[in-house]
Amino acid sequence: MSVASVGIIGAGQMGNGIAHVMALAGYDVVLNDISAEALEAAVARIDKNMARQVSRDLITADNMQNALGRIKTSQDVVEVGQTDLVIEAATENEEIKYKIFEGLVPHLKPETILTSNTSSISITRLASRTDRPEKFMGFHFMNPVPLMKLVELIRGIATDDATYQTCLGIVNALDKTAASAEDFPAFIVNRILIPMINEACYTLYEGVGNVASIDAAMKLGANHPMGPLELADFIGLDTCLAIMNVLHDGLADTKYRPCPLLTKYVEAGWLGRKSKRGFYDYRGEVPVPTR
């Protein structure tokens, strides 16, 4: 299947990162969001991130201008439906994703491939809400998208080989590496990563260590580039909790029970970097542990 244009639904952290790499790779991009402010902020973020790449001689100024010229923003889902490949990158909420795909289906070209950037939700269930489960799969980028080399490709039960091979070809065109995962809760990366973060939350909750000592222990003792609580703040505590709930519900194993402290932080609206408070307080010049 030939793909020249890509529609991206959701202009947040993941959506603008995907638009960034797709445009640099030569694809025409329609970046969609219900918020005009979110679209404006996304374009500004892409411009800033590409300028940083130019300053580091990773791309040329011409590369940047050509890529920015390939990105169109739209609040109209009809325009997204006319692209060759759609990547849904909305919030990690199954009901919201259902509504997006159900609203998009009437506007799709017959050959359009549908994908979701979900980090944990069943691809088979999402595909069942569309008219083309054979042309539907998981296309999970890592954050931050321009820097991270991995993309998880997840087939639903009905995904055909042509769809998989097309998405694999796009991953190669982006100069990234694909990891094929089966359609089980949280796939590969988050099946391993998020329970580790949840265990770090339990370690904090039970008083085994404070935020600073837990993060220092894993950075210096396990050679992790970021501590697990710092990483949780970067991902978003609401996203971490949502993935733990998917694992707990989908696998029915008590070892995936979300830590009560993680739940409490989310209930307080302390979601990490995006809300300026999580396991660290980001409102000053230097992040300060909150426990």
Side-chain angles (χ1 to χ4, degrees):
M1 300 178 188
S2 177
V3 173
S5 58
V6 179
I8 300 165
I9 300 177
Q13 194 170 36
M14 296 305 297
N16 76 62
I18 297 168
H20 177 138
V21 298
M22 288 290 181
L24 276 178
Y27 296 98
D28 292 325
V29 174
V30 178
L31 181 59
N32 171 272
D33 200 284
I34 58 174
S35 165
E37 292 77 13
L39 290 170
E40 185 178 342
V43 172
R45 183 68 173 270
I46 293 168
D47 190 296
K48 180 180 178 180
N49 288 340
M50 285 188 184
R52 186 180 295 116
Q53 288 179 302
V54 172
S55 71
R56 295 175 180 174
D57 294 324
L58 298 174
I59 63 174
T60 68
D62 283 346
N63 291 151
M64 174 178 170
Q65 292 307 314
N66 290 337
L68 290 174
R70 294 187 191 102
I71 299 174
K72 176 182 180 180
T73 61
S74 175
Q75 292 176 263
D76 187 354
V77 76
V78 175
E79 293 189 67
V80 177
Q82 297 309 299
T83 59
D84 301 322
L85 168 73
V86 175
I87 303 173
E88 172 272 313
T91 186
E92 193 71 352
N93 179 293
E94 193 160 344
E95 292 302 321
I96 290 174
K97 293 180 188 295
Y98 286 159
K99 290 178 182 177
I100 287 171
F101 286 117
E102 288 167 355
L104 181 63
V105 163
H107 309 293
L108 294 173
K109 299 188 298 183
E111 66 273 19
T112 297
I113 293 173
L114 293 178
T115 67
S116 175
N117 185 59
T118 179
S119 55
S120 61
I121 297 169
S122 167
I123 298 303
T124 298
R125 284 203 306 271
L126 293 176
S128 72
R129 297 301 183 99
T130 76
D131 64 343
R132 59 196 67 203
E134 72 285 350
K135 292 183 182 296
F136 192 111
M137 68 180 300
F139 208 176
H140 180 213
F141 289 81
M142 305 296 122
N143 184 36
V145 179
L147 297 180
M148 301 296 279
K149 298 291 288 185
L150 183 72
V151 180
E152 283 184 313
L153 294 180
I154 308 102
R155 300 190 200 212
I157 195 169
T159 307
D160 63 26
D161 192 59
T163 298
Y164 173 82
Q165 292 298 333
T166 299
C167 290
L168 179 60
I170 292 169
V171 173
N172 292 335
L174 297 176
D175 193 28
K176 295 188 182 293
T177 299
S180 296
E182 293 299 319
D183 187 19
F184 288 99
F187 319 128
I188 296 173
V189 173
N190 285 326
R191 173 74 177 267
I192 299 168
L193 177 64
I194 301 300
M196 183 199 73
I197 289 174
N198 193 57
E199 194 62 28
C201 295
Y202 270 113
T203 305
L204 179 64
Y205 177 60
E206 294 168 4
V208 179
N210 60 26
V211 169
S213 62
I214 291 167
D215 278 350
M218 295 307 293
K219 284 192 283 188
L220 302 178
N223 204 28
H224 289 194
M226 298 173 71
L229 301 176
E230 181 186 6
L231 180 57
D233 277 358
F234 181 76
I235 294 169
L237 304 193
D238 53 339
T239 300
C240 293
L241 179 59
I243 295 171
M244 283 307 303
N245 281 325
V246 167
L247 284 165
H248 190 233
D249 295 344
L251 298 173
D253 192 322
T254 56
K255 73 179 181 180
Y256 298 114
R257 183 172 70 95
C259 177
L261 184 60
L262 175 60
T263 301
K264 183 180 291 187
Y265 269 63
V266 173
E267 288 174 345
W270 292 19
L271 308 180
R273 287 176 180 263
K274 61 187 174 185
S275 66
K276 303 297 183 184
R277 278 196 291 186
F279 291 113
Y280 292 84
D281 188 327
Y282 300 92
R283 293 175 296 175
E285 291 184 9
V286 178
V288 178
T290 54
R291 292 178 78 91

